[in-house]
Amino acid sequence: MKMAPAITSPNVNIRATPLTAEAFAPFGTVITSPLPPSTTTFPSTPPLGSAPANQGTALKYTNISPLTSTYRLAPSGAPAHPTMSMFSCFSRQLRPSINGHTFDVRVLERHPFTTQTFVPLSTPSNTKARSLIIVAPTLGSTPPPATSSGTPYFPQAKQGGPPDLKNLKAFMAEPGMGVTYGVGTWHAPMAVFGGGRVDFVVTQWVSGRGGEDCQEVEIPGGVEVWVDGEGARAKL
């Protein structure tokens, strides 16, 4: 994977907010159970959008998140295939600051021809761990919000554009919440806080061509994300 040159970063200070489907829609999809934790028996009437399955012992929800490839647009023309991997992410330390706790954004990456989905596994070690999701649009091509039908908008791959740091966003995901980054969405590597470990099952398309599978930029300094217990419900 070829590292792109470092980019000049403005002084950007933002506060992480709770992850919601509506707030994240310009960048991708939030994956979470549509059922409340209190639902532990099969409902008499299946909820809207679901269908009975497994001999009436399960509810099936289809198309909960896209697995999109635009590798047909890649310069190499190399074929791509869907893959599934796992990232075991260990809890990080935040830097104490006058704003509570601070995470310094040092690198952003994007996958210019594929969506990338992170689905957390439930394990005893991650019951309190939360994930910090940091995203940014491509400079000069801020994606529009979700369509009127509620379907998230995924911009086609854009070549050469750096991340728009002034429109960088940060979200804190509760345990059990996953995300799909849209095609070409700049994002920070997954960051876990609160102790323990989170194992993510990751699905995406790959062609084996480094610069087409993943692009990175280094951010020397000046971009800070503030994380506090009240604003993002983070337990640190």
Side-chain angles (χ1 to χ4, degrees):
M1 182 169 56
K2 184 179 180 181
M3 179 68 75
I7 61 173
T8 302
S9 59
N11 290 325
V12 177
N13 310 99
I14 64 170
R15 189 173 299 279
T17 60
L19 179 66
T20 66
E22 294 75 18
F24 192 70
F27 306 99
T29 301
V30 173
I31 303 171
T32 187
S33 175
L35 298 174
S38 59
T39 302
T40 57
T41 59
F42 194 87
S44 57
T45 302
L48 184 66
S50 70
N54 291 6
Q55 295 77 50
T57 62
L59 292 173
K60 179 180 179 180
Y61 296 84
T62 59
N63 300 321
I64 62 170
S65 190
L67 180 59
T68 303
S69 169
T70 61
Y71 273 92
R72 68 186 183 279
L73 305 175
S76 71
H81 60 276
T83 65
M84 182 179 295
S85 57
M86 182 176 291
F87 284 60
S88 293
C89 298
F90 298 88
S91 190
R92 303 194 191 193
Q93 292 295 320
L94 292 173
R95 176 169 59 85
S97 69
I98 59 174
N99 299 299
H101 298 84
T102 297
F103 179 76
D104 298 295
V105 181
R106 300 299 187 192
V107 64
L108 292 175
E109 66 180 62
R110 69 174 174 184
H111 309 283
F113 301 104
T114 179
T115 53
Q116 186 183 44
T117 298
F118 283 76
V119 178
L121 298 179
S122 178
T123 66
S125 66
N126 71 356
T127 55
K128 294 183 179 180
R130 285 163 170 77
S131 304
L132 183 62
I133 313 297
I134 300 172
V135 288
T138 298
L139 188 65
S141 56
T142 303
T147 63
S148 58
S149 64
T151 303
Y153 172 87
F154 293 101
Q156 288 193 340
K158 301 176 179 64
Q159 296 298 309
D164 182 358
L165 298 180
K166 291 185 178 180
N167 285 299
L168 182 139
K169 304 291 183 183
F171 306 97
M172 187 64 74
E174 294 293 308
M177 298 181 74
V179 295
T180 294
Y181 296 113
V183 174
T185 295
W186 288 104
H187 61 277
M190 193 64 72
V192 171
F193 304 102
R197 182 191 86 234
V198 180
D199 296 326
F200 293 94
V201 174
V202 180
T203 56
Q204 66 187 90
W205 292 75
V206 298
S207 68
R209 302 297 178 98
E212 293 179 350
D213 285 338
C214 184
Q215 299 171 350
E216 289 187 349
V217 292
E218 290 182 327
I219 303 173
V223 179
E224 300 178 345
V225 175
W226 301 331
V227 180
D228 59 32
E230 181 178 355
R233 297 182 62 194
K235 298 182 187 283
L236 305 168

